[in-house]
């Protein structure tokens, strides 16, 4: 620190002497040398600079021994600094290696965790895909089963309809055959276990025409409509008392000969109604006919 201070003081003194010489040069040139102001200033400044550098070199430069000592000190300082830097660099390198190792370990752990997460995600995705595929297959099977069941149900229904139609046709044919046989053989209208035919029973007494005063309104008997009344008149029956007087054997003849209406006399109980009407009484049905609400 003392050498630097001395060197600084020496340099100040040298530059001060150079400045004095420059000023003196300016004065002498401007007064004696007959120079103008600007050239005198330029020359004064030039003398100042040259003398300042010269004086510093002559008086302030260090001696060779001192310079060598100074160079050795500087070299020692540089060596120490280099050693310190090397040590610092070594420590820094060690710290960097440690830091890099920790970073590598952390990266390895993170990579392992990521791999585990990816594996887990893949397992979940595969499971989801399998569930979706299973559901699709189940839906397809259900749809196929439903279609098969519907097809079978339609076929069964068709077969049942066909069977029912066949049974109905058979029943109809059977009934028709029976009806035809019954028509040919007649029916047992009077319950004597004998099927009536045209010659069944005994024909009742008939009239060629109605008595004086006109025929009775046979339509007041339930079971005798306009058409059947004409048939009864054609057969010779015009009055209630004629029908009321029929015997069971005569009723059997009438039942067997009422073409298209066989058995109607027994089923609708013509004799019972005719007895009431012949006696001047009324039935519920005859009252309705009299009011005009039937025909």
């Amino acid at each position: 620190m003392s050498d630097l201070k001395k060197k600084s003081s020496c340099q100040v003194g040298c530059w001060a002497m150079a400045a004095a010489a420059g000023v003196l040069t300016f004065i002498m040139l401007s007064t004696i040398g007959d120079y103008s102001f600007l050239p005198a200033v330029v020359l004064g400044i030039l003398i100042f600079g040259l003398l300042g550098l010269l004086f510093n070199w002559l008086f302030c430069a260090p001696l060779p021994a001192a310079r060598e000592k100074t160079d050795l000190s500087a070299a020692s300082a540089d060596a120490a600094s280099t050693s310190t830097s090397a040590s610092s660099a070594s420590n820094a390198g060690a710290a960097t290696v440690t830091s890099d190792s920790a970073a590598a370990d952390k990266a390895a752990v993170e990579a392992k965790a990521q791999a585990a997460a990816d594996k887990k995600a893949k397992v979940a995705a595969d499971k989801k895909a399998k569930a979706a595929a299973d559901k699709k297959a189940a839906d397809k099977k259900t749809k196929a089963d439903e279609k098969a069941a519907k097809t079978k149900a339609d076929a069964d229904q068709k077969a049942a309809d066909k069977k029912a139609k066949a049974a109905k046709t058979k029943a109809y044919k059977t009934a028709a055959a029976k009806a035809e046989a019954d028509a040919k053989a007649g029916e047992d209208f009077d319950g004597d276990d004998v099927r009536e035919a045209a010659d069944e029973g005994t024909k009742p007494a008939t009239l060629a025409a109605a008595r004086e005063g006109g025929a009775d309104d046979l339509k007041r008997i339930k079971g005798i409509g306009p058409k059947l009344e004409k048939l009864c008149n054609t057969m010779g029956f015009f009055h209630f008392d004629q029908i009321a007087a029929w015997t069971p054997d005569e009723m059997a003849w009438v039942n067997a000969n009422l073409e298209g209406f066989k058995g109607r006399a027994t089923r609708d109980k013509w004799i019972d109604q005719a007895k009431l009407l012949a006696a001047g009484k009324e039935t519920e049905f005859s009252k309705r006919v009299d009011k005009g609400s039937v025909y």
Side-chain angles (χ1 to χ4, degrees):
M1 181 65 70
S2 177
D3 292 338
L4 292 174
K5 189 174 181 181
K6 287 180 180 181
K7 184 177 180 181
S8 177
S9 299
C10 177
Q11 289 176 348
V12 170
C14 290
W15 284 109
M17 288 189 294
V23 172
L24 181 61
T25 300
F26 168 71
I27 294 172
M28 289 180 67
L29 289 175
S30 60
T31 57
I32 299 173
D34 206 14
Y35 281 80
S36 61
F37 177 77
L38 185 59
V41 170
V42 171
L43 290 174
I45 293 173
L46 182 60
I47 293 298
F48 166 71
L50 291 174
L51 290 178
L53 293 174
L54 181 61
F55 290 160
N56 273 285
W57 180 73
L58 291 175
F59 304 113
C60 298
L63 297 175
R67 183 177 297 173
E68 183 178 354
K69 183 179 181 181
T70 301
D71 292 341
L72 289 174
S73 298
S76 177
D78 290 341
S81 175
T82 301
S83 177
T84 303
S85 298
S87 177
S88 298
S90 177
N91 293 334
T96 301
V97 170
T98 302
S99 176
D100 291 342
S101 178
D105 292 342
K106 182 178 180 182
V109 171
E110 290 178 351
K112 187 176 180 181
Q114 184 63 41
D118 292 342
K119 184 177 180 181
K120 186 176 181 181
K122 186 177 184 303
V123 170
D126 292 343
K127 187 176 181 181
K128 185 176 180 181
K130 185 177 182 301
D134 291 344
K135 185 177 183 302
K136 186 176 180 181
D139 292 341
K140 186 176 181 181
K141 184 177 183 302
T142 300
K143 189 174 181 180
D145 291 343
E146 290 176 352
K147 185 177 180 181
K150 186 176 184 301
T151 301
K152 185 177 182 302
D154 292 342
D156 292 344
Q157 184 63 44
K158 188 175 180 180
D161 292 342
K162 186 176 181 180
K163 186 177 180 180
K165 185 177 180 180
K168 185 177 181 181
T169 301
K170 183 178 180 181
Y172 176 78
K173 289 181 178 180
T174 301
K178 184 176 183 300
E180 185 178 358
D182 289 343
K184 289 180 180 179
E187 295 184 44
D188 182 16
F189 298 114
D190 52 11
D192 60 357
D193 295 328
V194 177
R195 291 183 177 277
E196 281 77 4
D199 57 352
E200 171 72 11
T202 302
K203 182 178 179 178
T206 61
L207 298 174
R211 299 188 193 107
E212 188 178 348
D216 291 333
D217 186 2
L218 298 183
K219 296 190 297 297
R220 297 179 72 200
I221 296 176
K222 185 178 181 180
I224 299 178
K227 186 176 181 180
L228 192 49
E229 183 183 39
K230 289 181 181 180
L231 179 59
C232 287
N233 293 160
T234 301
M235 294 171 69
F237 306 117
F238 298 94
H239 303 283
F240 296 133
D241 58 352
Q242 286 181 278
I243 298 173
W246 288 345
T247 65
D249 194 46
E250 292 172 338
M251 173 73 84
W253 183 91
V254 173
N255 279 328
N257 289 274
L258 286 174
E259 293 296 332
F261 302 94
K262 291 183 179 183
R264 177 66 65 85
T266 298
R267 288 196 300 272
D268 291 332
K269 300 179 180 180
W270 285 5
I271 294 176
D272 294 340
Q273 296 182 70
K275 286 179 179 180
L276 292 173
L277 295 172
K281 298 180 181 180
E282 295 180 329
T283 64
E284 291 298 324
F285 182 78
S286 67
K287 291 178 181 178
R288 291 171 55 201
V289 173
D290 294 341
K291 290 179 180 180
S293 60
V294 179
Y295 306 107

